[in-house]
Structures are given as C-alpha cells and as structure tokens.
Amino acid sequence: MPGSTRSTSPVLDVTITPVAFHDPALLNNVGVHEPFALRSVVEVRTGDGVVGLGESYGDTEHLQRLHRAVPHLLGVDVFDLHAVGRAVAASLGGAASRAGDLLGQVVQDAADRVLSPFEVACLDAQGKLTGRPVSDLLGGAVRDEVAYSAYAFYKWAAHPGGEEDGWGAALDPAGIVTQVRRMVDEHGFTAVKLKGGVFPPQEEVEAVRALRAEFPDLPLRLDPNGAWTPDTSVRVAEELDGVLEYLEDPTPGIPGMAEVSRRLEGRMPLATNMCVVAFEDLPPAVAQDAVQVVLSDHHYWGGLRRTQDLGRICEVFGLGLSMHSNSHLGISLAAMTHLAAATPNLDYACDTHWPWKRADEDVVVPGVLEFSGGAVRVPTGPGLGVELDRDALARLHEQFERCGLRARDDTTYMRTVDPGFVPHRAAW
Ligand SMILES: O=C([O-])C(=O)C[C@H](O)[C@@H](O)C(=O)[O-]
Ligand SMILES: [Mg+2]
C-alpha cells in the first residue's frame, strides 16, 4: 500500500549461556559418555522486548563460533532469516566451511551449525511477536503430536567412581530388554533404536532378537555408527532382514554404504546421520544409492527451515526422512517437535536422548513437553511454546563452570578405564 510503513524487529542483544547436565555412562563405538553433556542456550532479544530461544552444542570451539556471529546479528530483523544467514556466513569470514561433529567422526557444515540456534531463536521471537506457534511459521502442523523412539544404549550402572544412576548396567541382551521395557512403560514409545558398535556384531544381533521377542510389534533400528566393514554390514542386514525397520550407518562413508546398499539389493533400508550430513553430501549419496533414509537434525542442517528443505529433497529423490538427536534439553525438544510436526514426510518416530536426562535438569519450565504414548504434543503457545526457567539456567551454567568439561571426548574418557581402547571404526 502506498505510504504504508513496514516495521521491523531488530536484534538488540544476543546472550549465549553454556550449560552442563548429568549424563549416564552410555557406551558407543568411540567410547563412553562423560558425566556431563554440554549445551548452549541462545537468547535473541528484539527491539520489541521479546526474547527468542535457541539451543545448540556447548563445546568451546562451537561457542567461539557462536560468539563471533553476535556482532553481525545486531540490528538484523528477526523476520529476515536470509539476513540472519548472511550475518552468520560473514562472521565465519570464509573460514573452514566444515566442522567436526561432537564425536569427531564426521564433518558437518560449520555455518549451518552456527546458524541453527539463531534461526530457531528468531523463529521463536517471530512466533511470540505474531502470537503463532513455530509450526505455523513452518507452514502449519500436519500432525498434533510427534512420535519419538526409545533410544537404548549399552551402559554401565555408574560412571567410574560415581553413584549408580538408577538405570542399572546394560551389557547384554537381557540388560537392553530391561532398559527398553522401562522406557516403553514410562513413556509409551512405539519404536526402538539400539545404539550398537559397542560389542561384536553377533552380540548386538542377539540383543535385537531379544527386543523383537519382547516387543513383537514395535519397529526396531540398530545403529553401530560405522563400526562394521561392508562384508559384516551385509551379513548382519541379511540376518536381521524382516526384523529391523532400518539399519543405520553400519559402515563409514558414502562409498562403503553404497557398496552395502548395492549388495543388499533393496532387502534392508540403510539410514544415515554420518555420511549425509550437509547438502553437498546429497548428490553423491543419491547418485550412488548409498542410503534410503536420511536422519535430519536441525542442529547441523542449518535450522528448521533448511531441514524442511532437506525433507523436500528427500521426497523428490524417494528417500525416507527420520530425525537424529544428541543429548539435549527442552528448547531443542520443542524445536524438534515443531519441525517434525510441520514436515509432512518426517514420519518415522524421531530419535531423542530425552529419557537419559534427569527430570529435574532442564532450562525450560516443566509441563509443556510431556510424553504420552511415545509422543510429544506439539506446543500451541506462541513461538516454541516453552518458557525459559532462569533459575535453572543459572544452576546449569554454574554446573558447566564447575564440571571442567569443555568438549565432548568419549574416547579419552573410555581410556581412563580401558587404556588400550581404540574406537570401533569398520573394526568388525
Ligand atoms: O544416531 C547417532 O549416530 C547418534 O545418536 C549419535 C550420538 O552421539 C550417540 O552415538 C551418542 O549419544 O553416543
Ligand atoms: Mg546414527
């Protein structure tokens, strides 16, 4: 309209608070989780006095990158997400475009990792300013609730020298079944993922078989994080044909996954959050038919909208779309839930580490993100629909200061118990 003025909501201030929360001794192919998981809470304050929230990784290198972006973001309109992206790119100044993931196993896009919490915080602010939930800003929720999977881990009963965490040890099929039974009883999960790559493959096959016997109707997945050779991957996939819904990252790299995929001739869908972790990985993966399911994760795909772009690309190329997680808090769970609700083809139960987090440790006010029937109802309040608990944020920040951890290093931690430990990478 001639003469109309368009108001903007510029970023006035950005706060980044690193936090630490307790994490059990969960085992994986590179070692064992340390006693605390690190995250960062991003607050974007606008000229209208609204604060948008985002959550991301909490290691020093990533925190430094987040801080570098702040001066570039000041004054940017929170509704102009392209400008937010340009600000983040400018802050990296053409520095390394790929960054190691938490476990140092794969390289992700550095700019997308940095952009993600700012994009989520801007969307949260937009929602608060317009009175609409983030799922509406993403095109609308196509489902009222989002299903998550029970994420089972081999684990120790306690950290070395620490107190038992109440879950007990899970070092064999019976231990895994007991663990999943509790998760299913407590949260109602309707799908199960087992983190493998810890024990020789045959033991993990037995654990999957035990899960199938205990839960005849639940879709099952196994993820050894690239611990196997292509030969082993093919053998295990054939053994678990008809038992697994998909096999995740049995072997490292696109060429290895492509070989397994070719030899399986479609008998077992292969999924990944390791060999397709950035947009530039898609063309070679598609060309080689390396994977049939991509696990999205807005924390490294550049936020919620870029993850929706990934969803559309997967749809075009006939790939399934699922969701990956790392240890996380409530801001991330809210963002994951809005994203999955507004992405029509994200219809696998999503991964979450949520059951491993202590109920009394979060940065959001409890009550909104409850599991029922293995699913979380999509929050309907403005923005992400969750409220920052400032006392809890201060407590978890203090815990970050005290815990001494500044980057995740499962391998070094494992070597304090088993000095000769070598990560299992195509090891069996
Ligand atoms: O699906 C995956 O690869 C993961 O969930 C990665 C995580 O880092 C997992 O391995 C863990 O928490 O140890
Ligand atoms: Mg995985």
Side-chain angles (χ1 to χ4, degrees), residues 208-351:
V208 171
R209 290 198 185 287
L211 286 170
R212 172 50 70 237
E214 179 74 11
F215 304 100
D217 302 324
L218 300 193
L220 304 177
R221 309 159 188 174
L222 174 61
D223 176 12
N225 279 117
W228 307 337
T229 62
D231 281 351
T232 302
S233 305
V234 170
R235 182 173 52 74
V236 173
E238 280 171 346
E239 272 192 59
L240 293 178
D241 186 7
V243 180
L244 291 181
E245 138 175 86
Y246 57 65
L247 178 59
E248 195 174 313
D249 288 310
T251 201
I254 289 176
M257 289 286 277
E259 179 190 335
V260 177
S261 173
R262 196 168 51 247
R263 288 168 61 186
L264 287 173
E265 296 174 333
R267 274 166 292 162
M268 167 76 74
L270 298 183
T272 188
N273 62 268
M274 293 180 73
C275 71
V276 179
V277 295
F279 287 96
E280 68 198 63
D281 298 327
L282 283 158
V286 168
Q288 295 172 50
D289 189 25
V291 298
Q292 289 73 48
V293 179
V294 176
L295 278 83
S296 61
D297 183 330
H298 75 269
H299 302 92
Y300 60 77
W301 281 94
L304 307 184
R305 285 162 36 105
R306 283 171 75 76
T307 306
Q308 286 188 302
D309 293 343
L310 167 67
R312 185 76 187 110
I313 293 170
C314 286
E315 200 175 347
V316 168
F317 288 101
L319 297 171
L321 181 69
S322 189
M323 193 190 279
H324 164 261
S325 85
N326 280 121
S327 310
H328 64 89
L329 295 167
I331 297 171
S332 281
L333 184 64
M336 291 154 73
T337 302
H338 282 284
L339 170 62
T343 307
N345 58 327
L346 213 171
D347 47 15
Y348 283 106
C350 301
D351 289 356

Side-chain angles (χ1 to χ4, degrees), residues 403-419:
C403 79
L405 299 177
R406 290 297 176 264
R408 179 173 167 181
D409 188 350
D410 298 18
T411 303
T412 302
Y413 187 47
M414 176 59 109
R415 286 182 182 147
T416 63
V417 173
D418 175 3

